[in-house]
């Protein structure tokens, strides 16, 4: 990969992490930095804190790729009065860019929760909360001799990608008619005369966030002055994108043994967990970070246990004694993210250095 400028690197990152599939409330992508500046190195971190910025300065790197966005809500001033402003101000003063992907990577099929399930050894994995109302269908009418040209352009823009399949489309041949009025510049036919044309109706399913790119490519490739097309919102859930994940242990475990297993796997000081009538654990749901919102979904898919972080007092009741809710910590549940990002960036960018931060990001300490 030959990306050199910050703009080029961010463009590639946006594609790798499908940045536009992030949740609406999130603040992802390039948070600060001059897009025209050449990238000298990337420091990968969980949180872009002030000491991480200092480490980037020491290493001579001018870009930080973080999981969490250091700028989450709007900044009304930038004077260094809190930990967010201190980090951002130091980054700007030292010409260091900060990029974050957060819920885009949470929603990714091979993202945060995929890794959690992998280290737990879960089989038959599925998305816990698939993205709903995430798909649309495009139907476009094209003269037969231009059908392949338009279809290829639309597919290259990302339409027709569903899970582990791409270039998916459907075509129906038929007959279209129209009459061009004064002022028109028809590709086929004469002014004020009805034209009958053999056409294909091309159909594609696509994810919402791809719509602008797809339409831009369609219009550029289509021969007609006025393109006839429909966009239809679908009710289908996207089974390959969404928050959380669940799967099955190879062997059912007694409750106590499962908790010991989780504590060892995640190197935990402590686990906070709910009451449950479960004696054994087989199906496990996970959601890295603050995941109380997934408790009901975990129950609905028959999970015996649900691992997440930031569970509040009343949330522990919501399992109704039918589900083991285990709070393993926000950072602890996301602890594999930095290594994941490092591996992805190292594979995709080879013309400058990539390094993981050596700084401690977890703000929570435990006195045992």
């Amino acid at each position: 990969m030959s990306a050199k400028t910050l703009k080029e690197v961010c463009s590639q990152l946006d594609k790798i992490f499908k940045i536009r599939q992030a949740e609406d409330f999130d603040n992802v992508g390039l948070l600060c930095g001059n897009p025209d500046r050449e990238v000298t190195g990337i420091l990968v971190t969980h949180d872009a804190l002030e000491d991480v910025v200092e480490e980037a300065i020491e290493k001579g790197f001018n870009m930080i790729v973080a999981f969490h966005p250091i700028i989450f809500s709007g900044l009304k001033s930038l004077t260094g009065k809190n930990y967010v402003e201190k980090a951002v101000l130091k980054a700007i003063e030292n010409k260091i860019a900060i990029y974050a992907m957060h819920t885009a990577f949470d929603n990714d099929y091979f993202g945060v929760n995929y890794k959690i399930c992998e280290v737990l050894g879960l089989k038959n994995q599925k998305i816990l909360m698939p993205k709903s109302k995430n798909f649309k269908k495009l139907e476009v009418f094209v003269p037969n001799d231009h059908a392949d040209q338009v279809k290829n352009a639309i597919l290259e823009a990302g339409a027709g990608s569903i899970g582990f399949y791409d270039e998916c489309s459907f075509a129906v041949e038929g007959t279209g008619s129209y009459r061009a009025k004064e002022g028109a510049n028809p590709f086929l036919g004469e002014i004020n005369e009805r034209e009958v044309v053999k056409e294909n109706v091309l159909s594609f399913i696509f994810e919402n966030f791809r719509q602008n790119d797809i339409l831009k490519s369609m219009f550029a490739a289509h021969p007609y002055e006025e393109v006839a097309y429909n966009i239809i919102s679908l009710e289908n859930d996207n089974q390959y994108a969404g928050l959380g994940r669940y799967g099955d242990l190879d062997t059912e475990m007694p409750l106590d043994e499962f908790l010991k297993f989780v504590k060892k796997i995640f190197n935990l000081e402590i686990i906070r967990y709910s009451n449950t009538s479960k004696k054994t654990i087989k199906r496990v749901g996970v959601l890295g970070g603050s995941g109380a919102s997934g408790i009901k979904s975990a129950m609905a898919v028959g999970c015996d246990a649900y691992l997440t972080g930031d569970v509040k007092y009343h949330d522990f009741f919501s399992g109704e004694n039918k589900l083991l809710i285990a709070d393993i910590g926000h950072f602890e549940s996301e602890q594999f993210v930095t290594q994941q990002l490092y591996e992805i960036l190292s594979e995709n960018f080879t013309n400058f250095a990539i390094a993981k931060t050596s700084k401690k990001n977890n703000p929570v300490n435990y006195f045992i």
Side-chain angles (χ1 to χ4, degrees):
M1 144 96 227
S2 59
K4 292 183 179 180
T5 66
L6 181 58
K7 181 179 180 180
E8 291 169 337
V9 171
C10 288
S11 176
Q12 186 69 9
L13 290 174
D14 289 352
K15 294 175 184 176
I16 293 169
F17 296 111
K18 295 183 180 178
I19 204 69
R20 285 181 288 176
Q21 73 178 358
E23 296 297 304
D24 292 340
F25 65 80
D26 210 356
N27 188 34
V28 296
L30 182 62
L31 304 183
C32 68
N34 181 349
D36 296 324
R37 187 169 292 128
E38 185 171 332
V39 175
T40 59
I42 296 178
L43 186 62
V44 184
T45 185
H46 195 274
D47 292 276
L49 304 174
E50 185 179 13
D51 60 351
V52 175
V53 178
E54 291 171 351
E55 184 180 10
I57 296 169
E58 293 169 3
K59 290 181 178 295
F61 293 178
N62 65 352
M63 184 175 188
I64 295 172
V65 170
F67 177 62
H68 284 150
I70 187 67
I71 304 173
F72 193 73
S73 53
L75 292 175
K76 293 186 178 180
S77 64
L78 198 53
T79 60
K81 63 178 176 291
N82 56 46
Y83 80 97
V84 171
E85 291 188 15
K86 286 176 182 176
V88 175
L89 194 57
K90 180 159 288 190
I92 292 173
E93 288 175 342
N94 289 276
K95 299 181 180 180
I96 294 175
I98 300 177
Y99 181 101
M101 76 290 298
H102 200 207
T103 57
F105 201 46
D106 282 320
N107 279 316
D108 193 271
Y109 190 82
F110 293 109
V112 177
N113 298 294
Y114 171 83
K115 186 63 178 180
I116 297 173
C117 287
E118 185 179 58
V119 299
L120 288 168
L122 301 184
K123 310 299 182 185
N124 310 314
Q125 295 182 29
K126 293 183 179 179
I127 300 292
L128 180 63
M129 293 184 285
K131 273 188 167 292
S132 61
K133 302 186 185 300
N134 184 235
F135 283 126
K136 292 183 179 179
K137 182 169 78 169
L138 168 66
E139 295 180 342
V140 58
F141 298 77
V142 190
N144 286 355
D145 54 356
H146 286 76
D148 284 342
Q149 170 185 313
V150 174
K151 179 172 73 173
N152 291 337
I154 291 172
L155 292 176
E156 286 173 10
S161 293
I162 307 170
F164 296 105
Y165 293 85
D166 65 4
E167 299 192 8
C168 303
S169 67
F170 189 76
V172 177
E173 188 172 340
T175 302
S177 67
Y178 57 85
R179 184 172 66 177
K181 297 164 68 175
E182 293 292 340
N185 183 26
F187 176 71
L188 296 171
E190 303 296 329
I191 299 296
N192 292 323
E193 292 186 11
R194 180 183 296 169
E195 181 73 15
V196 178
V197 185
K198 292 295 184 182
E199 294 182 327
N200 266 219
V201 183
L202 304 178
S203 299
F204 311 85
I205 289 178
F206 63 91
E207 293 167 288
N208 293 345
F209 70 86
R210 300 184 187 274
Q211 180 169 320
N212 289 342
D213 292 340
I214 289 168
L215 291 182
K216 182 179 179 181
S217 295
M218 179 190 76
F219 289 132
H222 205 291
Y224 284 174
E225 182 179 34
E226 294 289 345
V227 180
Y229 70 98
N230 304 312
I231 292 180
I232 303 164
S233 293
L234 303 179
E235 294 295 323
N236 309 46
D237 285 343
N238 187 346
Q239 300 296 332
Y240 297 92
L243 297 174
R245 206 172 179 93
Y246 69 96
D248 301 319
L249 294 166
D250 259 341
T251 306
E252 199 169 40
M253 286 188 185
L255 179 60
D256 287 352
E257 183 181 328
F258 174 74
L259 288 170
K260 290 176 183 176
F261 168 69
V262 171
K263 191 174 182 181
K264 180 180 178 182
I265 289 290
F266 290 88
N267 191 28
L268 303 176
E269 299 278 358
I270 190 171
I271 298 177
R272 300 165 64 230
Y273 64 95
S274 67
N275 293 323
T276 179
S277 60
K278 297 286 183 181
K279 303 300 181 185
T280 58
I281 304 297
K282 176 70 172 177
R283 176 160 291 180
V284 181
V286 305
L287 178 50
S290 299
S293 60
I295 292 173
K296 295 299 183 184
S297 296
M299 293 177 67
V301 297
C303 289
D304 303 307
Y306 179 62
L307 309 182
T308 189
D310 294 346
V311 179
K312 296 179 181 179
Y313 176 86
H314 290 285
D315 293 328
F316 281 107
F317 288 114
S318 59
E320 303 286 351
N321 289 331
K322 300 174 184 176
L323 173 72
L324 172 70
I325 302 169
D327 185 336
I328 62 174
H330 189 124
F331 177 86
E332 289 81 1
S333 66
E334 296 174 341
Q335 64 182 273
F336 309 109
V337 167
T338 301
Q339 179 64 29
Q340 283 181 278
L341 299 182
Y342 171 76
E343 291 174 2
I344 292 169
L345 267 61
S346 296
E347 181 179 346
N348 285 275
F349 300 95
T350 58
N351 53 323
F352 45 73
I354 313 285
K356 292 185 294 182
T357 184
S358 61
K359 305 301 180 181
K360 176 182 179 293
N361 276 175
N362 189 1
V364 181
N365 297 286
Y366 302 96
F367 182 76
I368 305 298

